[in-house]
Amino acid sequence: MVLYALIHVFGYLILRRVPRSWLGFCGWVASRFMYMAPAVRNLVIANLKIAFPEKPDKEIRRIALASLSHLPRMMLEFLWIANRPDKLDKHTIIPDSEMEKIRRLQGKDGKRPVMYVCPHLGGWEVSAMMVAHWVKCPFASIAAKIDNPYLDKLIVKCRSTENIRVIPAKGAVRGMVMALKEGYSMGTLIDQNTKVRDGGIWVNYFGLPVPTSPAPAFFGKKFDIAICVGGAVIKNGKYEFYVRELPKPSGEYTEPEEMIQDLLKLTEDLVREFPEQYLWMYKRFKFIPNDISEKMSERYPDYAKIANERFYDKVFARQDSTAKAAASSTA
């Protein structure tokens, strides 16, 4: 309770009262410390070289530092803006062109749920608040639980507003189904690894196969909802919402791989436009398909590994877990 009290005091009695410019400075300072950590620096640079092999090392380092600066800044601004309509009015915007796309996706009666597939780009934590505030529709956000219970409680409090329902990532399908049936629009992250044994499919991202969740394709087909790539990036000092529509209506996709590939292509285009605002501090290219050519596998970063049986099959995963437990009990 003491730790939560300290976090709460910092978040609400100090952080929320400082000028916004201070948050950018905090992000800049934090990025320099993160960049000094070899594990962080090497991971970010390895990912950037996959995405931009044509860029010189100097430019790669510039983007790496900018990206590392953006992450803490965005998280601090999320806490700074949360549950403050006046801050949303002043520091966020949904342009008329993007609002027109949203209204079109919502249908003639304005009640059709929309699933916004949001990459870890720009203000992904702020974007849900922007939809609830500007579009005036009920919104559900899927969020992973944070290990620190006190910090998790604070983050959930900030994510929850009158129009936003937070769905825990663990066992999220049931919560997503209920929310969609109740007419909630939804935001979900897709640029993360999902093992094949957990339903993941292989699609290309920056020229390399990566395992990705097919959830948007599943929900789009089952509930006939609109699917798009949506989120917010910082432009001219404001979080500006963007919508990128699929090449064809979600109902016309017959194979999940086709839709997910189109979603990742739209995501990739956005990341190329705003690389400084993307989360490169994640092992997105961690898994290599076991049937890939040797030439293609050599393009993966050093941290990547060939996906083994446990990656593909739950049976092998359970056997491995049982073997580890047995070994531990006899040690």
Side-chain angles (χ1 to χ4, degrees):
M1 292 299 294
V2 174
L3 178 59
Y4 176 70
L6 290 173
I7 294 174
H8 192 276
V9 168
F10 176 73
Y12 284 87
L13 299 185
I14 300 177
L15 174 65
R16 291 163 72 85
R17 285 169 170 75
V18 302
R20 188 185 179 195
S21 59
W22 289 24
L23 307 182
F25 176 73
C26 289
W28 183 89
V29 173
S31 70
R32 268 55 190 174
F33 282 101
M34 288 190 287
Y35 194 78
M36 286 190 293
V40 174
R41 181 176 66 251
N42 294 340
L43 172 59
V44 171
I45 289 177
N47 285 334
L48 282 167
K49 287 187 174 181
I50 292 294
F52 305 104
E54 76 285 356
K55 291 188 181 297
D57 289 345
K58 184 177 180 180
E59 178 66 3
I60 291 292
R61 288 194 297 271
R62 184 195 68 79
I63 296 174
L65 277 166
S67 171
L68 290 174
S69 177
H70 175 77
L71 176 60
R73 172 191 173 183
M74 186 274 295
M75 292 305 299
L76 290 172
E77 289 186 338
F78 158 66
L79 296 171
W80 188 74
I81 291 175
N83 296 305
R84 301 173 80 174
D86 59 319
K87 298 295 184 185
L88 285 166
D89 286 335
K90 184 176 181 179
H91 300 287
T92 73
I93 185 173
I94 300 184
D96 291 342
S97 60
E98 307 308 287
M99 188 66 81
E100 289 177 8
K101 295 177 186 177
I102 293 172
R103 297 304 185 196
R104 184 167 61 247
L105 290 169
Q106 289 178 319
K108 293 182 179 179
D109 61 0
K111 295 182 179 180
R112 187 188 188 194
V114 179
M115 178 174 282
Y116 299 89
V117 177
C118 182
H120 286 87
L121 176 72
W124 66 87
E125 287 286 2
V126 179
S127 59
M129 294 188 291
M130 292 176 66
V131 174
H133 179 74
W134 292 108
V135 184
K136 308 296 183 186
C137 70
F139 193 86
S141 179
I142 296 90
K145 188 178 181 64
I146 298 173
D147 291 337
N148 186 310
Y150 306 108
L151 185 57
D152 183 69
K153 185 175 181 180
L154 175 61
I155 296 298
V156 169
K157 179 179 179 179
C158 290
R159 285 171 173 159
S160 304
T161 67
E162 184 178 354
N163 282 336
I164 296 180
R165 176 188 299 180
V166 178
I167 300 173
K170 187 175 181 179
V173 173
R174 185 176 182 181
M176 293 170 73
V177 169
M178 291 179 60
L180 289 171
K181 286 182 177 180
E182 295 173 18
Y184 278 71
S185 288
M186 188 172 297
T188 184
L189 296 163
I190 195 176
D191 53 342
Q192 296 173 300
N193 297 317
T194 301
K195 296 176 180 177
V196 172
R197 73 176 192 230
D198 297 323
I201 57 177
W202 293 98
V203 290
N204 289 326
Y205 191 51
F206 287 100
L208 293 177
V210 293
T212 305
S213 170
F218 167 78
F219 285 104
K221 184 175 183 179
K222 185 173 179 63
F223 294 97
D224 188 32
I225 60 174
I227 309 289
C228 68
V229 173
V233 292
I234 298 178
K235 285 185 177 182
N236 301 318
K238 286 190 175 184
Y239 285 97
E240 183 174 309
F241 202 84
Y242 61 81
V243 174
R244 297 293 184 271
E245 297 177 272
L246 287 164
K248 58 184 180 181
S250 57
E252 294 184 11
Y253 286 91
T254 57
E255 298 296 332
E257 289 83 0
E258 183 186 7
M259 177 189 285
I260 302 304
Q261 184 61 77
D262 282 348
L263 288 170
L264 278 193
K265 179 60 173 64
L266 292 171
T267 297
E268 182 180 325
D269 291 343
L270 281 163
V271 173
R272 289 185 181 279
E273 187 175 354
F274 303 99
E276 298 87 353
Q277 297 185 39
Y278 191 59
L279 181 67
W280 296 106
M281 199 172 60
Y282 176 71
K283 294 183 178 180
R284 188 60 176 108
F285 307 100
K286 180 178 180 179
F287 298 104
I288 305 173
N290 58 12
D291 58 351
I292 202 170
S293 69
E294 183 177 351
K295 183 177 180 180
M296 179 67 78
S297 67
E298 291 175 352
R299 294 181 53 196
Y300 282 79
D302 291 340
Y303 66 75
K305 60 182 180 181
I306 299 290
N308 57 23
E309 291 90 344
R310 295 188 298 278
F311 176 89
Y312 288 95
D313 197 327
K314 289 184 178 180
V315 173
F316 283 97
R318 286 196 296 268
Q319 289 176 348
D320 182 66
S321 177
T322 301
K324 288 181 178 178
S328 176
S329 65
T330 57

